[in-house]
Amino acid sequence: MADQSLTVFLKLVAAGFYGLSSFIIVVVNKSVLTNYRFPSSICVGLGQMVATVVVLWVGKALGVIHFPDFDINIPRKTFPLPLLYVGNQITGLFGTKRLNLPMFTVLRRFSILFTMFAEVMLLKKKFSRPVQLTVIAMIFGAFVAASTDLAFDLEGYVFILLNDVLTAANGAYVKQKLDSKELGKYGLLYYNALFMIVPTLVLAHLTGDVQKAMEYDGWADTVFVFQFVLSCVMGFVLMYSTFVCTQYNSALTTTIVGCIKNILVTYIGMVFGGDYIFSWTNFIGLNISIAGSLVYSYITFTEEQSSKTSEGTSKVEIKGKIAV
């Protein structure tokens, strides 16, 4: 009984850890890039890469975590994940900077649609009709909200839709790489970040972002520096919390927690974001998309529970036949 209670406690802590991490990084990134007007999304992404490499290297050196040492085959084993990783990170930060939080979260729903396409093509997965209909409802709500977005920003929309495509591709390829068990989750995180630090630094130099970041006049502000460092560290914490939540619960639980977090971010962004412009059509569209995400979470949860029950019944039947 005590062991069962401890297991439930760990599951709740893992889910809460992921939800809190996911919420904090969206809010902090928005604050750094929009409220403090930090001029370089690329440099924020670079800081998150460096933090990921440092934390994982220290963890390995202390023997807390383990992943393979570098060899000439590592780049081949990780490709194309490093490219998807940096593309996903940078486009997400650019989208966060240019869009208000409600539209950012509702446009992120497209990642579910693109993930479905990626899993159908790469993993040959099939989805039930109710799941398909709820995803259509989410996308329809996003279109309704976007049709009257009074703070419309074309570049922001392009960046976040690119981010959705890259998120879907990254998720499908990560699943493939993890299933192969060559590098493990920590190895993939470490080498993805490590391989892209230099190319991202070169890009930041060519675009003038390094110069803009160095000349930024907010470095004397202690609160800004704290939030910038927090953003860098939270880039790693979010990835780690995703793995922990999935490990103690399931990928489905992680998805549901993410949906609930997005709902909170949407409503909080309306009130406290400072850049949301209200209109009834936009508000209704946002709520259609939110309702779709809640029904999506419920349907996928019940389908997984039914699947587990069916598997358990099949195993009992097989054992009975063997016993006979």
Side-chain angles (χ1 to χ4, degrees):
M1 189 70 177
D3 290 341
Q4 186 176 2
S5 299
L6 180 60
T7 301
V8 172
F9 175 74
L10 289 174
K11 287 183 175 183
L12 291 173
V13 169
F17 178 40
Y18 166 70
L20 184 63
S21 301
S22 184
F23 175 79
I24 289 174
I25 194 169
V26 171
V27 174
V28 171
N29 284 344
K30 184 66 177 174
S31 177
V32 168
L33 294 170
T34 301
N35 297 345
Y36 282 95
R37 300 185 183 279
F38 184 70
S40 175
S41 300
I42 297 177
C43 287
V44 174
L46 189 62
Q48 292 179 355
M49 292 177 207
V50 172
T52 299
V53 170
V54 170
V55 170
L56 289 174
W57 183 84
V58 170
K60 184 180 181 181
L62 294 175
V64 177
I65 59 174
H66 304 280
F67 54 86
D69 293 326
F70 179 80
D71 63 57
I72 197 169
N73 294 316
I74 293 290
R76 176 186 58 79
K77 292 176 180 177
T78 59
F79 187 83
L81 280 179
L83 297 176
L84 295 173
Y85 166 78
V86 71
N88 189 19
Q89 187 180 52
I90 299 301
T91 54
L93 288 167
F94 270 108
T96 302
K97 182 177 182 179
R98 302 193 70 94
L99 294 177
N100 59 67
L101 285 177
M103 285 309 302
F104 172 83
T105 54
V106 81
L107 289 174
R108 285 288 292 144
R109 303 288 199 288
F110 278 89
S111 65
I112 297 175
L113 177 65
F114 296 145
T115 299
M116 287 176 65
F117 288 148
E119 290 188 346
V120 167
M121 290 186 291
L122 294 175
L123 306 175
K124 309 302 179 186
K125 188 174 180 180
K126 294 182 179 180
F127 295 91
S128 67
R129 180 58 59 86
V131 169
Q132 295 175 26
L133 291 175
T134 54
V135 172
I136 290 172
M138 282 188 272
I139 301 305
F140 173 73
F143 273 117
V144 172
S147 67
T148 55
D149 180 12
L150 300 180
F152 177 79
D153 186 301
L154 179 60
E155 285 187 25
Y157 273 59
V158 170
F159 277 122
I160 205 60
L161 290 174
L162 277 174
N163 182 251
D164 291 336
V165 173
L166 292 170
T167 296
N170 186 70
Y173 276 109
V174 162
K175 185 169 178 61
Q176 280 189 336
K177 299 293 183 181
L178 285 175
D179 287 345
S180 68
K181 294 181 172 57
E182 290 182 304
L183 296 176
K185 57 181 180 287
Y186 294 118
L188 285 176
L189 288 174
Y190 179 80
Y191 290 113
N192 280 349
L194 181 66
F195 291 157
M196 295 312 298
I197 286 178
V198 173
T200 305
L201 183 59
V202 171
L203 176 64
H205 176 72
L206 293 176
T207 57
D209 278 51
V210 172
Q211 189 69 21
K212 292 176 186 176
M214 291 176 65
E215 294 175 353
Y216 178 64
D217 57 7
W219 292 113
D221 187 333
T222 307
V223 177
F224 165 75
V225 173
F226 171 76
Q227 291 191 26
F228 182 85
V229 173
L230 182 62
S231 173
C232 294
V233 175
M234 287 304 299
F236 164 74
V237 172
L238 176 62
M239 290 185 287
Y240 177 72
S241 67
T242 303
F243 285 124
V244 171
C245 185
T246 304
Q247 178 183 355
Y248 281 101
N249 295 282
S250 67
L252 177 62
T253 302
T254 305
T255 301
I256 293 172
V257 173
C259 285
I260 295 171
K261 178 269 302 182
N262 283 335
I263 292 170
L264 292 174
V265 170
T266 299
Y267 288 122
I268 290 173
M270 287 180 186
V271 181
F272 300 107
D275 54 358
Y276 175 71
I277 303 175
F278 178 85
S279 76
W280 275 111
T281 306
N282 178 267
F283 181 74
I284 291 169
L286 289 172
N287 282 279
I288 290 172
S289 186
I290 287 169
S293 67
L294 286 173
V295 177
Y296 167 82
S297 299
Y298 173 76
I299 291 174
T300 50
F301 177 75
T302 53
E303 284 184 353
E304 182 173 275
Q305 294 302 110
S306 299
S307 176
K308 286 181 178 178
T309 302
S310 299
E311 287 176 6
T313 304
S314 299
K315 288 179 180 178
V316 170
E317 289 177 353
I318 290 171
K319 286 181 180 179
K321 289 176 183 178
I322 291 173
V324 172

